[in-house]
Amino acid sequence: MNAKLSSSGQYATQLIYSALLNTYFQEFQKGALLDSAPQWDTRLVARLAATGVEQWMRVEIDFLEIYCPLTYHSATGRHAYAFPVLCLDRKNDGIDELSFDDFTAIVVQELELPLGSAEANCFGRRLAACVRNLAAILEHRRRDGARLPSRIAASFIETEQALILGHAMHPLAKDRSGFTLDDLRQYSPEFERPFQLHYFLCAPRLFVEQHHGSESASERLRCTIRENPTTPLTVRELLMERKDWKLFAAHPWEALYQLSTRSVRTLIDQADLIDLGRIGPVFHATSSLRTAWSPEVPFMLKFSLHAKLTNSIRVNHAWELPIGIYIARLLDTNWGRTIAREFPEVELIPDPSYYSLCAGEGGELLEGFSTIVRHNPFGNGTATRNIALLASLCQDGLFGGASRLANITNEYAKTHRTSVATAAMLWFKQYLAVFLRPLIQIYSRYGLALEAHQQNILLGLDENGFPCKTYFRDNQGYFIREGKRAEVQRFVPDFGEGCFIVHSEDHINPKFTYYLIINNLLGVIAAKGRAGVAKETDLISAAQDCLETLRPEDQSGLVSYILDSAFLTLKGNLSMSVLDMNEATQPIERPAVYLPYPNPFLFRKHYSQRILAPRPAHIVRTRYLAEHGATLYLRALDYERDLPLYHSWFHQDYAKPFWNMADPLEKLEVSYREQQSSLHSRAYTGLIDGDGVFAVEFYWAARDVIGRYYNVRPGDYGLHLLIAPSEMPKRNFSLHVLFLCLDFLFSDARVTRAVCEADQRNAAMDRLLERAGFRSQGIVRLPKKQAHLTSCTRESFRAKEATLLATPAEAPAVTLPTVA
C-alpha cells in the first residue's frame, strides 16, 4: 500500500479492506500462507510476479482462488497487504482484480446471507460509511496540518484523539451510524474540536442520581455553570430561582436526538424539563467518542449516544449504571486499598456516580439521558504528562511514516547505543511488568477481572517512552470471579445485586483471555512486528516466560487455560458486524459471537520441527521389510518428482471419492505449495528402490481443521495416507507403511497421540488402523466429509508393532490400495 501516492479515499478503502481480510481469515478459518510462487501455471506465475511480493494469503472458495499480496505476514493474524487482490476463476479461466465490494459480497455469502437481504445491505452501508469517515479523518490529518499521532510524547487528550485507524481487527472501526459528516467533524475525537455540552434543568422528582463520595455530579455541574463567565445571565437567574431543580448535562448530539422524541417533548410541554442549550466550559471527545473530558472538571462524563459504534448502540442501560458504584465502594475498602498498595503500577479509574431521568409511570429511565460519571486523573496539572492510549500506540504509522511505538523504540536504541531489537524487547518486558503480570495477579488473588482491551488501557510512559503505569477505565468492564464472591461481600455485602458482575471462572476465563491476551497482548506484539522493530515469535516467547512464572501461584486456573488450551476464544467482530448484532442487548450469558483462536503459546512445547519443517527432499526414516526383502524410505516432498506421481494417483477411481483432489496439475501444485507454506502440515513420499509407492501428509491436529471438531490435545498429530495401486497384493505391506509413518511420528516426544479421520465409508482403512493400535473416538462431521475419528498412543502402536514382527510369514495378506 503506497499511502503517499494514493488519495485519502483510496487509502481509507485499502485500510478497511485490510481489516476485512484479516478478520475474515481469522474468524472464518479460511485462507493460508503461500510463500513460494507456483511454476506450472505460467499465466498465474506472471500475475503473481507482477504484485512485487513473495508471499500471498490464498483462499479457495468454490471455483475461485483469491490471492492477497502480503507485505507482512503476522504470526498473530494481523497481516499487511499490497493491492490489488487477485482472483483466479478456474471455471471461466480468467484472472482479475478483486474489488473491495466484490470481496464484501463473498463475506456476506459465507455467512449464508442472501445478497440484498436487510443484514447484507446494512453491512454494505456501514462499510461504505467507514470508508467515507476514515477518508475524511485522513484528509483532515494530512491536509489541515493536524498533529500526527507518532510523536514520542503525548498528553492524555492528544493520545485519546490520536486513534485515527481504530480497532485494528474490526472492519467497522470507524462506523458512526447516525452521524452526518458534519457531526463527525464536530464530535469525533480525530478532528480535535472542543464543544460545549447541552444542559437541562429538571424537576427534582424526575432526577435519579447515585454517587459514592460526598459530592453530587449534579451539584458540581451547577457550581461549574454558575461560576463560568460565559454562562448567560438568564441561565444564572434560572439557577437561582430554582435552587431545588437538578442541572444535568447531555452530549449535544444526543440532546438533539432526545429533543425530537415524544417523551422529552412532553416533559418540556409539562414544564418538568427546561432546555438550557449549549453552555459552560468546553469538553473534548475521547477515543470512545461518547466520553467527554475537560481539564477544568474533576470528572469525565460517559454519555449515552443512540449511534451504533462498532458492535453496539452506545446507550448506558439501567442495569449497567450501578456497576461503577459497586466498584467504587469496593475500591474504597481495605480490599481495594490493599490492591493499590500491592500494585502501585496499576490505577483503576473509578466511575463513582451516575444520573438519569425517570420519566415513565413504571419507573423506567430515559436511557438517552443516562450518564456515567468517571473520575478524571488527568485534569489541570497532570494533563501534560506522557500518556499512551494503548490502541493508538499500537496503530500503524500514517501516510507511510513510522508509528509512535517505532519512534519510541528507535529513539531509545539510538540514545542508549543498543540494537533496535534489544530496545523493543526491553520495552515489551516493561509492558509485561506493569500490565500483564499485575492484572493476572489481581485476578488470581482478589478475583477482579478487567475488560482490558486496548481502548480501555492507558499507559503512563517514563522519560524513555517505556511503560511505568497502567490505567484501566470502563465501569462496564469489571467482573468478579465466583470463587471470590464471599470475600468481596464481606466488604460490600450487597455487592453486584442486579447487575451481572459476578460470574464463574469457566465463564470469565475465556472472555478475560480475549481482552487480556488476544486483543491487548497479541495486539502489542503484532504492532511491534508490523513496525519492524521485533519478531513476533520472540515477543510471544517472552510473554510465555512471564506467564510460566505466574502459573505456580495462580488460584483461578486462568494461566493454565492460557498456556495449555488448544484454542483460545476470539470475539467475532466481523461475524457480528455482518449479522448486525447489538452486543449491548445480547443475552448476558453470550453477549457476542465467540470463535476458536489457535493458541500461539503451544508452539514452543508442542510444535515438532522434525515432522513439520524437514529439509526439502530429505530422507527422514527407513524401515526394512524382512518378509519382502526391501527397504521403505520416507522422504520429504520434492515438487518436481512427486507432484506428477500424486496427480496420477489422485485420478485413480479408488482415490477420487476419498481425496477429492483429481485436479489439473497446475491447481494441485498450488494446493501443495500452500500446504508446504503452512506451519501445521507437511507432505512426504514413500519409496522402494527409488520408486514412489505411497504419499502421506502429517499434520498438527491443534492447527488443522479437524482440531475444531473434537476435544483435541496439544500433542495430537495426524496423518492422511494414500498407497499407490499395485498389480498384486503384498502381505502386510499397508501395515508396514502405516508403521513406518507412526514410527516417524512417535520419534518426536512432542507427539503424544496419533489421530486419523478417514472417510466414514472407508471400511478398509478402519480395519488397517485397528491392526495398528488405533481406537474409535466416534464420528465427526467435517466441512467436506463425515469422518471416523480414531486415535493411537505410542504404547498401543509399539505393542501392535511387536506383534507384527513376531507374526509368522504365513500372516494374511492385506489387499492394496489403501486410502485415508
Side-chain angles (χ1 to χ4, degrees):
M1 181 190 306
N2 191 338
K4 293 182 177 179
L5 300 179
S6 63
S7 70
S8 294
Q10 290 172 325
Y11 188 19
T13 300
Q14 290 180 356
L15 288 167
I16 293 173
Y17 199 169
S18 296
L20 186 61
L21 288 168
N22 281 336
T23 51
Y24 172 83
F25 292 140
Q26 197 172 76
E27 294 182 29
F28 288 59
Q29 295 304 317
K30 294 190 174 181
L33 175 67
L34 184 69
D35 65 7
S36 63
Q39 302 300 311
W40 282 319
D41 189 334
T42 54
R43 184 179 50 170
L44 178 61
V45 171
R47 290 300 297 269
L48 293 182
T51 64
V53 302
E54 297 180 350
Q55 294 183 317
W56 302 264
M57 286 296 290
R58 175 184 175 272
V59 61
E60 190 170 342
I61 303 171
D62 296 328
F63 50 85
L64 300 179
E65 295 176 31
I66 299 170
Y67 293 84
C68 309
L70 287 172
T71 57
Y72 176 76
H73 181 262
S74 169
T76 59
R78 191 180 155 202
H79 314 302
Y81 300 93
F83 289 92
V85 172
L86 299 178
C87 182
L88 169 60
D89 186 336
R90 294 270 181 198
K91 183 177 181 181
N92 297 307
D93 196 32
I95 303 177
D96 294 303
E97 295 181 7
L98 187 70
S99 72
F100 179 46
D101 290 339
D102 288 340
F103 186 74
T104 300
I106 288 172
V107 171
V108 168
Q109 290 174 313
E110 286 285 296
L111 280 171
E112 298 182 351
L113 293 174
L115 293 176
S117 65
E119 293 89 348
N121 290 338
C122 178
F123 181 60
R125 287 195 302 271
R126 294 182 73 195
L127 273 177
C130 281
V131 173
R132 178 202 67 178
N133 294 343
L134 183 54
I137 292 166
L138 291 168
E139 190 65 19
H140 163 73
R141 290 281 175 156
R142 177 158 57 180
R143 184 191 62 195
D144 296 346
R147 290 187 295 266
L148 293 180
S150 56
R151 294 181 302 153
I152 290 175
S155 67
F156 166 75
I157 196 59
E158 287 171 345
T159 191
E160 286 282 349
Q161 296 186 333
L163 186 54
I164 307 304
L165 306 181
H167 191 322
M169 296 298 287
H170 200 304
L172 299 178
K174 288 300 168 182
D175 185 23
R176 305 283 187 265
S177 293
F179 274 32
T180 65
L181 269 176
D182 285 342
D183 294 333
L184 184 81
R185 293 188 177 101
Q186 181 61 59
Y187 301 120
S188 260
E190 303 89 347
F191 289 91
E192 307 172 289
R193 293 183 180 176
F195 54 85
Q196 291 178 300
L197 304 182
H198 198 120
Y199 288 82
F200 295 87
L201 264 179
C202 75
R205 62 184 174 79
L206 299 180
F207 196 66
V208 176
E209 182 177 32
Q210 281 195 28
H211 59 92
H212 175 71
S214 59
E215 187 175 42
S216 155
S218 175
E219 290 305 312
R220 181 58 189 241
L221 286 173
R222 176 183 281 269
C223 180
T224 299
I225 293 300
R226 190 175 59 242
E227 296 176 357
N228 191 284
T230 65
T231 301
L233 180 61
T234 54
V235 173
R236 294 175 189 273
E237 291 174 344
L238 195 58
L239 291 176
M240 290 296 295
E241 177 186 326
R242 307 203 181 200
K243 293 183 179 180
D244 61 334
W245 279 47
K246 300 297 183 180
L247 180 75
F248 69 92
H251 191 284
W253 186 91
E254 182 68 19
L256 294 180
Y257 178 91
Q258 291 298 322
L259 287 167
S260 69
T261 65
R262 180 181 299 178
S263 56
V264 171
R265 294 305 313 169
T266 299
L267 291 176
I268 290 175
D269 293 342
Q270 293 173 348
D272 286 327
L273 186 67
I274 300 174
D275 179 8
L276 301 180
R278 301 185 188 188
I279 55 176
V282 296
F283 279 73
H284 304 260
T286 63
S287 60
S288 73
L289 192 145
R290 63 179 174 136
T291 302
W293 170 87
S294 171
E296 304 173 36
V297 181
F299 49 75
M300 294 179 254
L301 295 170
K302 182 180 180 181
F303 296 111
S304 289
L305 278 183
H306 278 83
K308 192 163 189 178
L309 314 177
T310 59
N311 294 344
S312 303
I313 295 173
R314 300 296 171 167
V315 173
N316 294 318
H317 297 285
W319 67 267
E320 298 173 301
L321 300 176
I323 295 176
I325 305 292
Y326 281 124
I327 293 295
R329 289 170 58 198
L330 187 59
L331 293 177
D332 202 18
T333 67
N334 282 336
W335 183 93
R337 287 188 282 272
T338 300
I339 292 177
R341 284 195 303 271
E342 284 188 24
F343 303 99
E345 69 273 26
V346 175
E347 182 172 337
L348 304 176
I349 301 174
D351 298 331
S353 179
Y354 70 84
Y355 60 78
S356 188
L357 262 63
C358 182
E361 294 181 2
E364 64 269 17
L365 300 180
L366 276 177
E367 290 185 331
F369 285 143
S370 294
T371 302
I372 292 166
V373 181
R374 175 170 295 156
H375 173 62
N376 177 16
F378 306 107
N380 277 330
T382 61
T384 57
R385 71 176 68 157
N386 195 7
I387 299 293
L389 172 67
L390 195 55
S392 60
L393 183 67
C394 289
Q395 71 185 346
D396 294 339
L398 298 181
F399 315 118
S403 67
R404 183 182 180 190
L405 194 54
N407 286 336
I408 289 171
T409 307
N410 290 326
E411 181 63 23
Y412 182 91
K414 178 181 175 182
T415 302
H416 291 78
R417 298 182 180 181
T418 189
S419 70
V420 170
T422 297
M425 183 60 76
L426 289 172
W427 189 101
F428 184 70
K429 287 184 176 179
Q430 191 59 31
Y431 154 79
L432 296 176
V434 303
F435 170 74
L436 184 66
R437 177 178 291 276
L439 264 60
I440 288 178
Q441 290 175 321
I442 289 170
Y443 179 62
S444 171
R445 298 176 193 176
Y446 299 96
L448 179 62
L450 307 175
E451 199 171 283
H453 59 70
Q454 287 193 355
Q455 205 166 326
N456 276 346
I457 295 294
L458 294 151
L459 294 178
L461 304 181
D462 64 17
E463 64 278 5
N464 293 315
F466 279 39
C468 58
K469 192 177 186 69
T470 290
Y471 299 89
F472 173 81
R473 45 90 184 283
D474 191 4
N475 77 308
Q476 295 154 298
Y478 289 101
F479 302 94
I480 296 291
R481 62 183 178 91
E482 184 63 46
K484 292 293 183 177
R485 178 199 290 266
E487 184 176 324
V488 165
Q489 289 181 339
R490 284 203 299 271
F491 294 94
V492 180
D494 62 339
F495 183 85
E497 289 183 6
C499 63
F500 313 108
I501 195 172
V502 181
H503 298 278
S504 69
E505 285 80 354
D506 287 345
H507 178 85
I508 290 179
N509 285 356
K511 296 172 180 60
F512 190 20
T513 299
Y514 165 70
Y515 294 113
L516 189 73
I517 302 298
I518 297 176
N519 182 296
N520 201 308
L521 174 72
L522 297 185
V524 171
I525 289 172
K528 282 183 165 287
R530 287 170 65 101
V533 298
K535 291 182 180 179
E536 291 188 32
T537 50
D538 291 343
L539 301 180
I540 290 171
S541 183
Q544 187 166 354
D545 289 339
C546 176
L547 289 165
E548 288 289 1
T549 65
L550 293 169
R551 193 201 290 259
E553 68 175 80
D554 180 37
Q555 306 169 25
S556 66
L558 176 69
V559 175
S560 291
Y561 172 83
I562 293 169
L563 290 173
D564 299 337
S565 298
F567 296 95
L568 304 179
T569 298
L570 173 77
K571 183 186 283 189
N573 290 315
L574 172 59
S575 302
M576 294 176 66
S577 298
V578 177
L579 297 172
D580 196 27
M581 293 172 60
N582 183 2
E583 186 176 357
T585 58
Q586 291 296 112
I588 192 66
E589 297 80 12
R590 187 173 173 81
V593 172
Y594 291 104
L595 302 163
Y597 178 86
N599 188 348
F601 297 117
L602 295 185
F603 274 86
R604 194 164 71 184
K605 185 176 179 181
H606 300 287
Y607 179 75
S608 172
Q609 187 90 5
R610 177 183 302 174
I611 295 166
L612 300 175
R615 298 204 307 271
H618 181 62
I619 300 290
V620 296
R621 213 74 175 170
T622 62
R623 188 179 186 88
Y624 180 67
L625 310 185
E627 60 185 301
H628 301 296
T631 300
L632 271 176
Y633 295 88
L634 187 62
R635 172 176 52 72
L637 177 73
D638 182 309
Y639 288 112
E640 292 187 7
R641 286 188 284 177
D642 294 338
L643 289 188
L645 194 60
Y646 293 0
H647 180 259
S648 67
W649 294 347
F650 289 144
H651 281 78
Q652 297 284 334
D653 289 339
Y654 77 93
K656 285 181 182 179
F658 302 126
W659 281 76
N660 292 312
M661 292 181 69
D663 298 318
L665 187 58
E666 294 83 358
K667 186 174 186 298
L668 188 67
E669 182 202 7
V670 173
S671 298
Y672 270 95
R673 286 190 181 274
E674 178 183 276
Q675 180 207 52
Q676 299 299 98
S677 300
S678 77
L679 286 174
H680 76 272
S681 182
R682 283 295 184 273
Y684 292 80
T685 301
L687 308 166
I688 290 181
D689 297 329
D691 295 326
V693 292
F694 70 89
V696 63
E697 297 173 357
F698 296 116
Y699 60 85
W700 187 18
R703 289 293 174 274
D704 190 80
V705 63
I706 183 63
R708 302 171 190 280
Y709 292 87
Y710 78 104
N711 189 20
V712 66
R713 302 174 188 174
D716 285 356
Y717 277 70
L719 72 158
H720 300 133
L721 179 63
L722 171 64
I723 298 179
S726 176
E727 295 181 359
M728 58 184 298
K730 298 177 182 177
R731 182 179 290 113
N732 292 324
F733 183 76
S734 296
L735 194 58
H736 281 297
V737 166
L738 183 54
F739 280 169
L740 171 64
C741 296
L742 292 174
D743 186 42
F744 178 54
L745 274 182
F746 286 122
S747 69
D748 193 323
R750 293 175 180 83
V751 179
T752 58
R753 191 168 63 160
V755 297
C756 190
E757 18 74 61
D759 193 291
Q760 187 183 8
R761 300 166 296 171
N762 195 342
M765 176 53 70
D766 280 345
R767 291 192 297 271
L768 177 64
L769 291 170
E770 185 177 359
R771 291 185 67 197
F774 283 78
R775 295 293 178 264
S776 175
Q777 302 297 320
I779 302 300
V780 291
R781 189 181 299 276
L782 301 177
K784 294 184 179 180
K785 69 178 179 180
Q786 191 148 304
H788 183 201
L789 179 66
T790 57
S791 68
C792 173
T793 64
R794 180 179 278 100
E795 292 73 22
S796 61
F797 154 60
R798 293 301 181 195
K800 290 292 185 177
E801 181 185 41
T803 300
L804 175 65
L805 294 177
T807 301
E810 59 268 23
V814 175
T815 303
L816 296 182
T818 302
V819 183

